[in-house]
Amino acid sequence: MKRTFSVLTLALLGSLAQAAPAPRTVTIGLGYVPNVQFTPFYVAERLGYFRAEGLNVKFQHGYVSELMPLLLQGKLDFVVGDPEDAVFARNQGAPVKYALAMYQKSPVTLFGLKPLTGAASLRGKTLGIPGPFGSSYHAVQAYLASAGLKEGRDVKLATIGFTQQEAVRTGRVDAAAGYLNNDVVLLRAAGKKVYTLDPTGAYPMVGVGLIAQDKTLGTALAKKVVRASQRGLKYTVQNPAGAFKVAQPAFGKAGGTLDILKASVPLMQSAYTRQHGLGAGDPAGWTKAVAALVKQGKLPAGAQASAFYTNALIDKTLR
């Protein structure tokens, strides 16, 4: 009898193992290189939040200009990028939307080691930018225009790649467009007195987030990816030091510091997310952002913010 029971049990266990579905592989493009800024996604992978959704996640790093075509070709399922990446692609006919906000607002800032007292203090100066692309470039354009300053005539823009800290520290440029939660943090940690200008009044852009094709956003897969990512956000917000420890093997010692992550955490939450869930896009913020792009002539008059993002996948209980 015992032998019969053992044989039946083993047969049942074997059939259950065969019936268990294999994890679905999902690919997410993360901009540039492995970096502390992507901690919520690394946390979601390393703590098993994706696995709990039946997913095996693979990350692919690269410039967003390289990743977005892969998304459109179906070679990536999701991309983490600037909101402009989704907005401009959709405006040109690509069926993509922004589905989860990692940051609630843009961390772009203009910084230097000499006093900056407003846009007028940039007159006659050289301002470093990574290049004529991305949130930092659009923010610089809007900020200069708001003060009546002309590129070239009043302020020289120098393309310096992602060397803003070094370029400012060595005097190659007078100031640079960078990030409040990265460049400024690292320079201050090095003992430098840093001056900043906030361009968000002229360019009230929402922050970096998760982008996908419409056909993906209508599937159960998208709901699972967003929920796992929200859990990664929640863990990071509630325990930055713990999240840093969990995620550091993914980005290494060269990929950023705990101070950078701590400076990023306030960007991940807002009054809106406290009511509607971490990762939710604030409709008021999106309306202002799209209006700023219309004012710059980068979107047609009458463009509606709701065309470029969705909160349909957000779990409101994850706050």
Side-chain angles (χ1 to χ4, degrees), residues 49-220:
Y49 300 157
F50 286 110
R51 285 196 302 276
E53 300 287 350
L55 303 175
N56 173 37
V57 69
K58 291 186 177 180
F59 298 124
Q60 181 170 331
H61 288 275
Y63 290 104
V64 177
S65 59
E66 301 165 343
L67 299 177
M68 284 296 288
L70 296 178
L71 177 71
L72 295 174
Q73 293 164 20
K75 295 178 180 179
L76 292 175
D77 297 304
F78 300 85
V79 166
V80 176
D82 289 332
E84 295 94 336
D85 296 317
V87 169
F88 296 149
R90 191 170 192 90
N91 186 53
Q92 293 169 5
V96 297
K97 275 189 178 180
Y98 176 108
L100 173 137
M102 185 170 75
Y103 291 166
Q104 290 295 306
K105 60 181 181 179
S106 171
V108 172
T109 188
L110 310 184
F111 69 95
L113 301 183
K114 296 180 181 179
L116 295 171
T117 55
S121 62
L122 293 173
R123 189 181 297 276
K125 302 285 198 308
T126 297
L127 179 66
I129 59 171
F133 54 79
S135 283
S136 58
Y137 179 60
H138 301 305
V140 165
Q141 287 184 308
Y143 189 61
L144 295 181
S146 71
L149 297 174
K150 296 289 186 181
E151 177 184 342
R153 185 192 71 187
D154 301 310
V155 180
K156 179 183 178 182
L157 298 187
T159 296
I160 58 174
F162 294 96
T163 65
Q164 296 101 313
Q165 296 165 54
E166 179 187 359
V168 166
R169 188 170 52 242
T170 60
R172 180 182 168 195
V173 296
D174 299 297
Y179 299 96
L180 195 63
N181 60 330
N182 187 300
D183 302 289
V184 174
V185 170
L186 293 176
L187 283 173
R188 286 176 175 163
K192 302 293 184 181
K193 183 174 180 59
V194 184
Y195 299 87
T196 63
L197 294 173
D198 182 2
T200 56
Y203 193 67
M205 188 52 55
V206 292
V208 65
L210 195 66
I211 303 166
Q213 290 200 63
D214 291 352
K215 64 181 181 181
T216 300
L217 295 176
T219 67

Side-chain angles (χ1 to χ4, degrees), residues 245-265:
K245 185 175 180 179
V246 168
Q248 191 177 35
F251 59 80
K253 291 184 178 180
T257 67
L258 176 57
D259 285 342
I260 290 175
L261 183 59
K262 287 181 176 179
S264 301
V265 164

